[in-house]
Amino acid sequence: MANRRRPMSQINVVPLIDVMLVLLVISMVAVPMLIQGIDVDLPQKPSETLEGGDDNPLVVTVDENGRIYLNIGVSDIYDEDEFVTLETLKERASKVLGARPDIPVFVRADKRLAYGEVVEVMQALQESGALSVGLTTEPPEV
């Protein structure tokens, strides 16, 4: 009689584990790069006014000296002439975004302001819970 082998009924999972570990390493390297960047879609031409937007957005204005002003769109909550620090901005924006997580958030920054200061303000807003932060512009003069 011939010596017959029984079919093996086990699956070798070692190659599957190797592939999964490679995918894990790739995702661990790629995800921080995606999160670190700030999603800003700068206009290529004059932008149009947003329609159907919220009447009371959260607007953060940064003047040419780097002073930060917070306007929630509701009058008499904070004095318009009062500027805030980044920590105060985070605290107040967290309160607003906690109550209304879907509120639109916009940054108005002076064009002479250093890019890094605008990024710090946008990062503070994202740490406060803003899902997206938009930049406002003015239409070019004709």
Side-chain angles (χ1 to χ4, degrees), residues 56-85:
N56 295 319
L58 180 100
V59 179
V60 178
T61 304
V62 187
D63 68 5
E64 66 179 317
N65 298 320
R67 290 185 298 238
I68 304 168
Y69 299 88
L70 181 64
N71 181 353
I72 300 173
V74 181
S75 59
D76 298 330
I77 289 184
Y78 299 111
D79 185 11
E80 288 184 21
D81 296 330
E82 174 190 356
F83 60 90
V84 296
T85 63

Short mmCIF file of all heavy atoms in Angstrom, two decimals, residues 56-85:
data_model
loop_
_atom_site.label_atom_id
_atom_site.label_comp_id
_atom_site.label_asym_id
_atom_site.label_seq_id
_atom_site.Cartn_x
_atom_site.Cartn_y
_atom_site.Cartn_z
N ASN A 56 -24.22 83.67 12.57
CA ASN A 56 -23.37 83.93 13.73
C ASN A 56 -22.14 83.03 13.73
O ASN A 56 -22.02 82.14 14.57
CB ASN A 56 -24.17 83.73 15.03
CG ASN A 56 -25.28 84.73 15.17
OD1 ASN A 56 -25.10 85.90 14.86
ND2 ASN A 56 -26.43 84.28 15.61
N PRO A 57 -21.20 83.23 12.82
CA PRO A 57 -20.00 82.40 12.83
C PRO A 57 -19.03 82.85 13.92
O PRO A 57 -19.15 83.96 14.46
CB PRO A 57 -19.41 82.63 11.45
CG PRO A 57 -19.83 84.01 11.10
CD PRO A 57 -21.19 84.18 11.72
N LEU A 58 -18.07 82.01 14.21
CA LEU A 58 -16.98 82.36 15.11
C LEU A 58 -15.88 82.95 14.23
O LEU A 58 -15.34 82.24 13.38
CB LEU A 58 -16.48 81.12 15.86
CG LEU A 58 -15.34 81.39 16.82
CD1 LEU A 58 -15.90 81.51 18.24
CD2 LEU A 58 -14.34 80.28 16.77
N VAL A 59 -15.57 84.21 14.40
CA VAL A 59 -14.57 84.88 13.58
C VAL A 59 -13.43 85.34 14.48
O VAL A 59 -13.64 86.04 15.47
CB VAL A 59 -15.17 86.11 12.84
CG1 VAL A 59 -14.10 86.80 12.00
CG2 VAL A 59 -16.34 85.69 11.97
N VAL A 60 -12.22 84.93 14.13
CA VAL A 60 -11.02 85.35 14.85
C VAL A 60 -10.25 86.28 13.94
O VAL A 60 -9.89 85.90 12.82
CB VAL A 60 -10.16 84.12 15.25
CG1 VAL A 60 -8.90 84.58 15.95
CG2 VAL A 60 -10.96 83.18 16.13
N THR A 61 -10.00 87.49 14.40
CA THR A 61 -9.27 88.47 13.62
C THR A 61 -7.90 88.68 14.25
O THR A 61 -7.78 88.82 15.47
CB THR A 61 -10.03 89.81 13.60
OG1 THR A 61 -11.35 89.58 13.10
CG2 THR A 61 -9.33 90.83 12.73
N VAL A 62 -6.86 88.67 13.41
CA VAL A 62 -5.50 88.91 13.87
C VAL A 62 -4.97 90.12 13.11
O VAL A 62 -4.91 90.11 11.88
CB VAL A 62 -4.58 87.68 13.61
CG1 VAL A 62 -3.22 87.90 14.25
CG2 VAL A 62 -5.22 86.41 14.12
N ASP A 63 -4.61 91.19 13.86
CA ASP A 63 -4.15 92.40 13.18
C ASP A 63 -2.66 92.29 12.86
O ASP A 63 -2.00 91.29 13.18
CB ASP A 63 -4.47 93.64 14.00
CG ASP A 63 -3.70 93.75 15.30
OD1 ASP A 63 -2.81 92.92 15.56
OD2 ASP A 63 -3.98 94.67 16.06
N GLU A 64 -2.11 93.33 12.24
CA GLU A 64 -0.72 93.27 11.78
C GLU A 64 0.29 93.17 12.92
O GLU A 64 1.43 92.77 12.73
CB GLU A 64 -0.40 94.47 10.89
CG GLU A 64 -0.43 95.80 11.61
CD GLU A 64 -0.09 96.94 10.69
OE1 GLU A 64 0.85 96.83 9.90
OE2 GLU A 64 -0.79 97.96 10.77
N ASN A 65 -0.13 93.53 14.15
CA ASN A 65 0.75 93.43 15.32
C ASN A 65 0.63 92.09 16.02
O ASN A 65 1.29 91.86 17.03
CB ASN A 65 0.44 94.56 16.30
CG ASN A 65 0.70 95.92 15.67
OD1 ASN A 65 1.68 96.09 14.96
ND2 ASN A 65 -0.19 96.86 15.92
N GLY A 66 -0.22 91.20 15.51
CA GLY A 66 -0.38 89.88 16.10
C GLY A 66 -1.40 89.82 17.21
O GLY A 66 -1.53 88.79 17.87
N ARG A 67 -2.15 90.89 17.43
CA ARG A 67 -3.19 90.87 18.45
C ARG A 67 -4.39 90.09 17.93
O ARG A 67 -4.79 90.24 16.78
CB ARG A 67 -3.60 92.29 18.83
CG ARG A 67 -2.51 93.02 19.62
CD ARG A 67 -3.02 94.36 20.08
NE ARG A 67 -3.34 95.17 18.91
CZ ARG A 67 -2.80 96.34 18.64
NH1 ARG A 67 -1.92 96.86 19.46
NH2 ARG A 67 -3.15 97.01 17.57
N ILE A 68 -4.97 89.25 18.79
CA ILE A 68 -6.06 88.35 18.42
C ILE A 68 -7.36 88.88 19.00
O ILE A 68 -7.44 89.16 20.19
CB ILE A 68 -5.78 86.93 18.94
CG1 ILE A 68 -4.43 86.43 18.44
CG2 ILE A 68 -6.90 85.98 18.56
CD1 ILE A 68 -3.94 85.18 19.14
N TYR A 69 -8.37 88.99 18.14
CA TYR A 69 -9.70 89.45 18.55
C TYR A 69 -10.70 88.34 18.24
O TYR A 69 -10.65 87.74 17.18
CB TYR A 69 -10.09 90.73 17.82
CG TYR A 69 -9.15 91.87 18.08
CD1 TYR A 69 -8.03 92.05 17.28
CD2 TYR A 69 -9.38 92.75 19.11
CE1 TYR A 69 -7.16 93.09 17.51
CE2 TYR A 69 -8.51 93.81 19.35
CZ TYR A 69 -7.40 93.97 18.55
OH TYR A 69 -6.52 95.00 18.79
N LEU A 70 -11.61 88.11 19.17
CA LEU A 70 -12.60 87.05 19.01
C LEU A 70 -13.98 87.67 18.85
O LEU A 70 -14.41 88.48 19.66
CB LEU A 70 -12.57 86.14 20.24
CG LEU A 70 -13.52 84.96 20.26
CD1 LEU A 70 -13.16 83.99 19.14
CD2 LEU A 70 -13.44 84.25 21.59
N ASN A 71 -14.67 87.28 17.79
CA ASN A 71 -16.03 87.74 17.53
C ASN A 71 -16.89 86.51 17.31
O ASN A 71 -16.71 85.79 16.33
CB ASN A 71 -16.07 88.66 16.30
CG ASN A 71 -17.46 89.18 16.02
OD1 ASN A 71 -18.42 88.77 16.64
ND2 ASN A 71 -17.54 90.08 15.08
N ILE A 72 -17.84 86.28 18.19
CA ILE A 72 -18.66 85.09 18.11
C ILE A 72 -19.89 85.34 17.24
O ILE A 72 -20.59 84.43 16.88
CB ILE A 72 -19.05 84.62 19.52
CG1 ILE A 72 -17.78 84.32 20.28
CG2 ILE A 72 -19.93 83.40 19.50
CD1 ILE A 72 -17.95 84.01 21.70
N GLY A 73 -20.13 86.58 16.88
CA GLY A 73 -21.28 86.89 16.05
C GLY A 73 -22.49 87.29 16.86
O GLY A 73 -23.48 87.74 16.33
N VAL A 74 -22.42 87.14 18.17
CA VAL A 74 -23.49 87.57 19.04
C VAL A 74 -22.99 88.81 19.76
O VAL A 74 -21.94 88.79 20.38
CB VAL A 74 -23.85 86.46 20.07
CG1 VAL A 74 -24.97 86.91 20.97
CG2 VAL A 74 -24.18 85.18 19.34
N SER A 75 -23.74 89.89 19.67
CA SER A 75 -23.27 91.15 20.24
C SER A 75 -23.24 91.11 21.75
O SER A 75 -23.97 90.37 22.40
CB SER A 75 -24.16 92.30 19.76
OG SER A 75 -25.49 92.05 20.16
N ASP A 76 -22.39 91.92 22.31
CA ASP A 76 -22.26 92.16 23.75
C ASP A 76 -21.75 90.97 24.56
O ASP A 76 -21.87 90.97 25.77
CB ASP A 76 -23.59 92.64 24.34
CG ASP A 76 -24.02 93.96 23.73
OD1 ASP A 76 -23.16 94.76 23.34
OD2 ASP A 76 -25.24 94.17 23.65
N ILE A 77 -21.20 89.94 23.94
CA ILE A 77 -20.61 88.86 24.75
C ILE A 77 -19.20 89.26 25.18
O ILE A 77 -18.85 89.19 26.34
CB ILE A 77 -20.59 87.53 23.98
CG1 ILE A 77 -22.00 87.01 23.84
CG2 ILE A 77 -19.73 86.51 24.69
CD1 ILE A 77 -22.10 85.67 23.19
N TYR A 78 -18.40 89.70 24.24
CA TYR A 78 -17.06 90.16 24.55
C TYR A 78 -16.86 91.51 23.89
O TYR A 78 -17.41 91.80 22.84
CB TYR A 78 -16.00 89.17 24.04
CG TYR A 78 -16.11 87.81 24.67
CD1 TYR A 78 -16.52 86.72 23.92
CD2 TYR A 78 -15.83 87.62 26.01
CE1 TYR A 78 -16.64 85.47 24.50
CE2 TYR A 78 -15.95 86.38 26.58
CZ TYR A 78 -16.36 85.31 25.83
OH TYR A 78 -16.49 84.08 26.39
N ASP A 79 -16.06 92.33 24.51
CA ASP A 79 -15.78 93.66 23.99
C ASP A 79 -14.96 93.54 22.71
O ASP A 79 -13.95 92.83 22.67
CB ASP A 79 -15.00 94.45 25.05
CG ASP A 79 -14.77 95.89 24.65
OD1 ASP A 79 -15.38 96.35 23.66
OD2 ASP A 79 -13.98 96.56 25.35
N GLU A 80 -15.38 94.23 21.66
CA GLU A 80 -14.68 94.15 20.38
C GLU A 80 -13.27 94.73 20.44
O GLU A 80 -12.42 94.38 19.65
CB GLU A 80 -15.49 94.86 19.29
CG GLU A 80 -16.74 94.12 18.89
CD GLU A 80 -17.47 94.81 17.75
OE1 GLU A 80 -16.84 95.59 17.03
OE2 GLU A 80 -18.66 94.55 17.59
N ASP A 81 -13.03 95.67 21.37
CA ASP A 81 -11.71 96.28 21.48
C ASP A 81 -10.76 95.46 22.34
O ASP A 81 -9.60 95.81 22.49
CB ASP A 81 -11.84 97.70 22.04
CG ASP A 81 -12.62 98.61 21.11
OD1 ASP A 81 -12.56 98.39 19.88
OD2 ASP A 81 -13.27 99.52 21.62
N GLU A 82 -11.23 94.37 22.93
CA GLU A 82 -10.40 93.55 23.80
C GLU A 82 -9.70 92.47 23.00
O GLU A 82 -10.34 91.67 22.33
CB GLU A 82 -11.29 92.91 24.87
CG GLU A 82 -10.57 91.91 25.75
CD GLU A 82 -11.53 91.12 26.62
OE1 GLU A 82 -12.73 91.38 26.61
OE2 GLU A 82 -11.03 90.21 27.30
N PHE A 83 -8.38 92.46 23.05
CA PHE A 83 -7.68 91.37 22.37
C PHE A 83 -7.36 90.30 23.40
O PHE A 83 -7.30 90.55 24.59
CB PHE A 83 -6.44 91.85 21.61
CG PHE A 83 -5.39 92.53 22.44
CD1 PHE A 83 -4.38 91.81 23.02
CD2 PHE A 83 -5.41 93.91 22.62
CE1 PHE A 83 -3.40 92.43 23.78
CE2 PHE A 83 -4.44 94.54 23.37
CZ PHE A 83 -3.44 93.81 23.96
N VAL A 84 -7.18 89.06 22.89
CA VAL A 84 -7.00 87.90 23.76
C VAL A 84 -5.68 87.22 23.44
O VAL A 84 -5.11 87.40 22.37
CB VAL A 84 -8.16 86.89 23.60
CG1 VAL A 84 -9.47 87.51 24.03
CG2 VAL A 84 -8.26 86.39 22.18
N THR A 85 -5.22 86.40 24.37
CA THR A 85 -4.04 85.58 24.15
C THR A 85 -4.46 84.27 23.50
O THR A 85 -5.66 83.97 23.41
CB THR A 85 -3.32 85.28 25.48
OG1 THR A 85 -4.21 84.51 26.29
CG2 THR A 85 -2.92 86.56 26.19
#
